[in-house]
Amino acid sequence: MVTFANRVTQLLGVDVPILQAPMGYIAKPRLVAAVSEAGAMGLVPGSLGVDEVREDIRRTRDLTDKPFGVNLPLAFVKDPAIVDMIVEEGVRFVTTSAGSPTAHTPRLKEAGLTVFHVVPSLRGAQKAIEAGVDGLVVEGSEGAGFKAPREVSSMVLLPLVAAQVGVPIVAAGGIADGRSMAAAFALGAEGVQMGTRMVATEESPVHRNMKDAVVAAAETDTMLINKHNGKQVRVLRTEATAPFEIATAGDPMALLGNIHGLYRDGDLNASLAQLGQVAGRIGAVEPVAEIIRRTVAEFEETLGGLAKRYLEGA
């Protein structure tokens, strides 16, 4: 079995440089803890208010003594006091996203935390470096959820950013297994983040209908909507979302008001099912530990297989 010893594992104190995306209402303590227990890095979403995030941190800590972190989606943070709470709770790793990296990085760094910022472009990466972050999560447009107005896929973005910065990079968007992880490393990453793959796990708290939708999805079954409002988001194409695919009016974000109808009750038309294109490569609902174990094994096999296949004398 491959042993990872790079800047991501060293900075985060984990054995495996895989992060679980901090998906709101999905990345609850059982899922986060399962990821950390498997040797990777679970992330608690920080968008749900100070009290709920504090509770999730404490419940996760009850389930695992392994490292886990918190994400701060800056545009959605309801109370700036959450930063002080995270520090007080002894969290050691934070990712920031959806906003300026200058907002809380100085306070977090002053408290001794490791900070990675999520970026969708080279310019965003450069701004994050200037703000003093320790690393980057470089997110391609094929990933789920809110996206930058100007789309860049991981195949282009990863090597572009890697060639221009000196900090460690975690690749996000399109990652579901060891082959895609190996591809990300070849492009300059030292870690990967999985979102859609983690939705379709046994530990994911969402309704089985949502998990089955991931498994059933083709690679063409997601789309970017809400472009006309300047806040585009990648979602599963459903009866409720399809009318917004080429819309130039209307507010699909209103559907977020019934997110529990989707995640808890299993009504795929109740809200926005935020899935990445990689859903088309996911074939089963599985335990987190098995996904991470197989990803690492396939990563090693892929790297070795490429060398044997294409390099003379390897």
Side-chain angles (χ1 to χ4, degrees), residues 43-115:
L43 288 172
V44 172
S47 57
L48 305 179
V50 175
D51 292 339
E52 185 167 351
V53 176
R54 180 189 290 112
E55 181 181 354
D56 281 353
I57 290 171
R58 293 179 177 179
R59 287 177 56 209
T60 302
R61 190 168 286 129
D62 288 340
L63 296 171
T64 183
D65 59 2
K66 302 288 183 65
F68 65 90
V70 174
N71 168 256
L72 285 177
L74 303 168
F76 304 99
V77 169
K78 299 174 181 177
D79 185 347
I82 193 170
V83 177
D84 292 327
M85 181 275 288
I86 288 171
V87 172
E88 291 165 3
E89 288 295 323
V91 174
R92 305 308 304 163
F93 175 55
V94 166
T95 63
T96 55
S97 59
S100 171
T102 62
H104 299 297
T105 298
R107 168 76 177 104
L108 293 166
K109 292 298 300 172
E110 181 184 310
L113 278 71
T114 298
V115 180

Side-chain angles (χ1 to χ4, degrees), residues 138-301:
V138 175
E139 186 174 71
S141 59
E142 64 268 60
F146 288 92
K147 296 291 153 214
R150 296 180 178 178
E151 307 151 35
V152 187
S153 70
S154 294
M155 192 75 176
V156 173
L157 187 59
L158 271 173
L160 176 65
V161 174
Q164 298 290 327
V165 305
V167 300
I169 290 172
V170 171
I175 311 296
D177 56 12
R179 291 172 64 193
S180 46
M181 181 177 180
F185 273 54
L187 294 173
E190 294 180 52
V192 296
Q193 178 170 285
M194 295 182 178
T196 302
R197 171 66 275 192
M198 293 298 174
V199 174
T201 59
E202 290 185 1
E203 294 86 352
S204 168
V206 301
H207 194 281
R208 183 72 192 205
N209 288 354
M210 177 73 173
K211 299 180 187 184
D212 289 344
V214 175
V215 174
E219 78 281 8
T220 54
D221 281 346
T222 70
M223 58 183 184
L224 289 168
I225 62 173
N226 206 41
K227 292 183 180 182
H228 61 285
N229 287 325
K231 295 180 180 179
Q232 62 181 2
V233 57
R234 183 173 296 284
V235 301
L236 180 68
R237 186 181 291 104
T238 64
E239 290 181 10
T241 60
F244 293 104
E245 186 166 11
I246 57 174
T248 57
D251 181 17
M253 296 301 102
L255 289 169
L256 287 175
N258 192 25
I259 195 70
H260 292 300
L262 169 64
Y263 292 154
R264 184 187 61 206
D265 303 331
D267 180 358
L268 294 176
N269 289 304
S271 190
L272 302 179
Q274 298 179 43
L275 300 180
Q277 291 177 334
V278 79
R281 298 194 59 239
I282 295 169
V285 176
E286 300 176 286
V288 164
E290 173 58 19
I291 291 169
I292 292 176
R293 182 206 65 76
R294 190 175 62 244
T295 295
V296 172
E298 189 179 69
F299 172 86
E300 181 178 23
E301 180 184 349

